[in-house]
Amino acid sequence: MTTLKPASLKVAIGPTGRAMAEAMPAELVESLHQHLTMERSASAQYFGFNIWFAERELRGFSKFFKKESENEQVHASEFADYLIARGQSVNLEELAAPKQDWSSIEDIFIAAFQMESDVTTSLHQLYAIAERHSDFRSTVFLDPVIQGQTNSEDEFAYLLGKVKFANNQPSALLIIDSELNV
Ligand SMILES: [Fe+2]
């Protein structure tokens, strides 16, 4: 009978003890964690918007932000899964409480658009770091994420434009609300 011997071949191991094909530069790991926090914060803030609109009988807007909040959570999960796939551990940082005292719908859409644009900037920074370190697994991971984010910016710019055009008139805002209530 042959007895099994310990493996004689070696494989690189990440901080979680998982096999790791290519070590990740510390700068990239840190930036991916920061980005993950940003996606979770956006999810929390959109959940706050969802509640703000629900409290004011604007169910279409409320529904829109509920879905957006869920989308941001999906994005956060994608980053967590990617870090795990690369043998890294995932640190979940504390989140600030979402701002809830808004005085106008336009302000909410301006804040949302700015948040989307900050997320895009963060993705571009991640891409630049990955390229600088020739970490091509990360650039490939980021490509479709950046495309999706550009589409999101477009959607938020469109809705901000419509809300601006409504110029705070209830009848116009109710039409947008109905359009979003699908
Ligand atoms: Fe996102």
Side-chain angles (χ1 to χ4, degrees), residues 35 39 42 71-73 75-76 116 119 123 149 152:
H35 189 84
E39 298 282 1
N71 287 345
E72 300 307 343
Q73 196 58 51
H75 299 162
E116 290 294 325
V119 168
L123 287 172
Q149 184 56 32
S152 265

Coordinates of all heavy atoms in Angstrom, one line a residue, residues 35 39 42 71-73 75-76 116 119 123 149 152, ligand 1:
H35 N -13.1 51.4 -3.1 CA -14.2 51.4 -4.1 C -15.4 50.6 -3.7 O -16.6 51.0 -3.8 CB -13.7 50.9 -5.5 CG -14.8 51.2 -6.5 ND1 -14.9 52.4 -7.2 CD2 -15.8 50.4 -7.0 CE1 -16.0 52.3 -8.0 NE2 -16.5 51.1 -7.9
E39 N -19.4 51.8 -3.3 CA -20.6 51.2 -3.8 C -21.6 50.9 -2.7 O -22.8 51.1 -2.9 CB -20.2 49.8 -4.5 CG -19.3 49.9 -5.7 CD -19.9 50.4 -7.0 OE1 -21.1 50.7 -7.0 OE2 -19.2 50.5 -8.0
A42 N -23.1 54.2 -1.8 CA -24.1 54.6 -2.8 C -25.4 53.8 -2.6 O -26.5 54.4 -2.6 CB -23.6 54.4 -4.2
N71 N -29.0 47.7 -7.2 CA -27.9 47.6 -8.2 C -26.5 47.9 -7.5 O -25.5 47.2 -7.8 CB -28.1 48.6 -9.3 CG -29.2 48.2 -10.2 OD1 -29.7 47.1 -10.2 ND2 -29.7 49.2 -11.0
E72 N -26.5 48.9 -6.7 CA -25.2 49.2 -6.1 C -24.7 48.1 -5.1 O -23.5 47.9 -5.0 CB -25.3 50.6 -5.3 CG -25.7 51.8 -6.1 CD -24.8 52.0 -7.3 OE1 -23.7 51.5 -7.4 OE2 -25.3 52.8 -8.2
Q73 N -25.7 47.4 -4.5 CA -25.3 46.3 -3.7 C -24.7 45.2 -4.5 O -23.8 44.5 -4.1 CB -26.6 45.8 -2.9 CG -26.3 44.9 -1.7 CD -25.4 45.5 -0.7 OE1 -25.6 46.6 -0.2 NE2 -24.4 44.8 -0.3
H75 N -23.1 45.6 -7.3 CA -21.8 46.1 -7.7 C -20.8 45.8 -6.5 O -19.7 45.3 -6.8 CB -21.7 47.6 -8.0 CG -22.6 48.0 -9.2 ND1 -23.0 49.2 -9.4 CD2 -23.2 47.2 -10.2 CE1 -23.8 49.3 -10.5 NE2 -23.9 48.0 -11.0
A76 N -21.2 46.1 -5.3 CA -20.4 45.8 -4.2 C -20.0 44.3 -4.1 O -18.9 44.0 -3.9 CB -21.1 46.3 -2.9
E116 N -22.6 59.3 -8.9 CA -22.3 58.5 -10.0 C -21.0 58.9 -10.7 O -20.2 58.1 -11.0 CB -23.5 58.5 -11.0 CG -24.8 57.9 -10.6 CD -24.6 56.4 -10.4 OE1 -23.9 55.7 -11.2 OE2 -25.3 55.8 -9.5
V119 N -18.1 57.8 -8.6 CA -17.9 56.3 -8.8 C -17.1 56.1 -10.1 O -16.1 55.3 -10.1 CB -19.2 55.5 -8.8 CG1 -19.0 54.1 -9.2 CG2 -19.8 55.6 -7.4
L123 N -13.4 54.4 -10.5 CA -13.2 53.2 -11.4 C -12.0 53.5 -12.4 O -11.2 52.7 -12.6 CB -14.4 52.9 -12.3 CG -15.6 52.2 -11.5 CD1 -16.8 52.1 -12.4 CD2 -15.2 50.8 -11.0
Q149 N -21.0 51.7 -15.8 CA -21.1 52.9 -15.0 C -21.3 54.1 -15.9 O -22.0 55.1 -15.6 CB -19.7 53.1 -14.3 CG -19.6 54.3 -13.3 CD -20.8 54.3 -12.3 OE1 -21.3 53.3 -11.9 NE2 -21.2 55.5 -12.0
S152 N -24.9 54.4 -16.5 CA -25.6 54.9 -15.4 C -25.5 56.4 -15.3 O -26.5 57.1 -15.0 CB -24.9 54.4 -14.1 OG -25.5 53.3 -13.6
Ligands
FE1 FE -22.3 51.1 -8.8

